[in-house]
Each structure stands twice: as structure tokens, then as C-alpha cells.
Amino acid sequence: MKIGIIGAGFIGSALAVRLTGLGHSVAIANSRGPETLGDVAEKTGATPVTSQEAAHYGEIIVVTIPLKNIPDLPKDLFEGVPAEVPVIDTSNYYPLLRDGHIAELEQGELTESEWVKQHLGRPVIKVFNNILADHLEKLGQPVGAPGRIGLPVAGDDPIAKKKVMALVEELGFDAVDNGHLHESWRQQPGTPCYAADLPASELRQQLDSLGTERTKQQHAQFLANHAALEKQMEAQGIQLK
């Protein structure tokens, strides 16, 4: 396939490495322009392009930039892109380390990807947000291999979701249906499923145990869990990209 990636940070680069290794044609963009992506191109085999070119490049588009930068993307970024092209959102909300406080996400009415959908003006599929980039690049395994990691996939378009889930499987992970985009809170930071590298059966159990509608108590607890994680990361000098 032809796949466009908007964002050349940890997750975008890891995906580019894996996808080109599988024989896909990948175009990758960042906010500074293709002339700054020489090292990424050399490492990944992807072709540096502009964000507009990446958005119009392929059969699947991945948006993998810091959440705070989503509103800065061109409003017409996906103008003319066929409706059947899935757009993957990998974003996570890190208020302390990177994004600042976003009121809609603090209130809990929207999931991160619903917020992204509003700003992009286009449906999205949520995946690749709850696995470390290094694990995404190196821990994919064949179907049936012991310990194969399950990755949750949430979205409202069943056809787009099916296409994305097939790509997840090809990358060496078990795709686990996480319901509609409104249910994608179950794979966000602070939850038991976040960055846990669970096998598919355990991931399914965890998702089911959380229910479908996030309660106020759950939202408060997951925000507190994530705040503690951010403080730990800050103390360790870990930076997000």
C-alpha cells in the first residue's frame, strides 16, 4: 500500500521503519519541511514530503504529532482526500510534560481522539497510542506466537476500522476491537490497558471490565494515575517527541 505519515517523531519513525520493511511505500512529513527529514529518510526508507502531500499520498494516513499541535494543522489538510481513506490518530494527552491543559479533555466529555476528530473535520481511527515506539518497531510477532501483543483499535467506521486492523495484524500484533471512538478512553493514558503490552485475551478482559461509558470516578482516577506517571517521567528526565 501507499501510506502517508504526518509526524516524524518516535511513533511515526517506528511505523515508517516497519511499514517500509513490509514493502509498503511510505511518505513522511513533519512541521519543519521535508528538507529536515534526511536522517529519518535514511533510517526508515520513507520519502520526505510536506504535510499536504502526506495527507493526499495513500490508502491509509497516520497523524502522529503532539496533541497540542493538532489545531495548528491546515484546516484544508484533508480536502479532496477520498472518504474511504482511513485516518489513524495515535495521540495521547500529556498536560504536564508537553500539551498544557485542554479543558475539554479535563472535563471528560470528549476522548482524545474525538477532540482530534473535531479539529481535523474528519473521522479517525485510534490505534498505536498505547505502545512504546521501541516496542512497536521491535516486538511484532507472527500470528499465534506466545506473548504476541494485542493493540486496541477504536473507531466509528467499520470498513475503515477493518482496514486498519488488518494493518495492525500485518505489523505483528493482534488487533482488538475497542468499539466506537467514544469508547477509546479505555486505551488512553492512566488506564490499565495503557502501555501494558497485554496479549489479546487479557486486553479484551481489561477493556470489558471498564465498561463502555466512562464514569466521573473513572475519569478522575485515570487522570490521577497519568499525572503520577508524568511526574515520574519528569523526574527521570524522559522527554516526549
Side-chain angles (χ1 to χ4, degrees), residues 55-118:
H56 290 76
Y57 183 71
E59 299 154 71
I60 291 179
I61 308 301
V62 182
V63 178
T64 179
I65 65 175
L67 195 70
K68 67 176 183 177
N69 295 340
I70 291 288
D72 298 330
L73 290 170
K75 302 305 179 186
D76 62 347
L77 185 63
F78 292 102
E79 186 175 328
V81 177
E84 63 269 19
V85 174
V87 176
I88 292 173
D89 166 45
T90 77
S91 63
N92 287 315
Y93 177 43
Y94 275 83
L96 174 64
L97 294 179
R98 184 187 61 200
D99 298 316
H101 290 279
I102 299 173
E104 298 97 320
L105 300 181
E106 297 283 344
Q107 294 163 3
E109 297 174 3
L110 294 175
T111 65
E112 293 161 356
S113 287
E114 286 179 311
W115 186 85
V116 171
K117 173 185 173 182
Q118 286 187 354

Side-chain angles (χ1 to χ4, degrees), residues 137-198:
E137 182 177 341
K138 298 176 181 177
L139 297 188
Q141 297 186 66
V143 176
R148 184 161 132 128
I149 295 169
L151 293 183
V153 185
D156 299 328
D157 183 334
I159 296 176
K161 187 193 289 185
K162 184 177 180 180
K163 190 172 183 179
V164 171
M165 290 177 76
L167 185 66
V168 171
E169 296 278 345
E170 187 182 358
L171 286 165
F173 303 93
D174 287 328
V176 177
D177 193 334
N178 190 23
H180 292 287
L181 203 63
H182 191 60
E183 297 166 62
S184 63
W185 60 270
R186 300 187 296 187
Q187 66 194 75
Q188 292 179 181
T191 67
C193 303
Y194 184 67
D197 288 349
L198 299 173

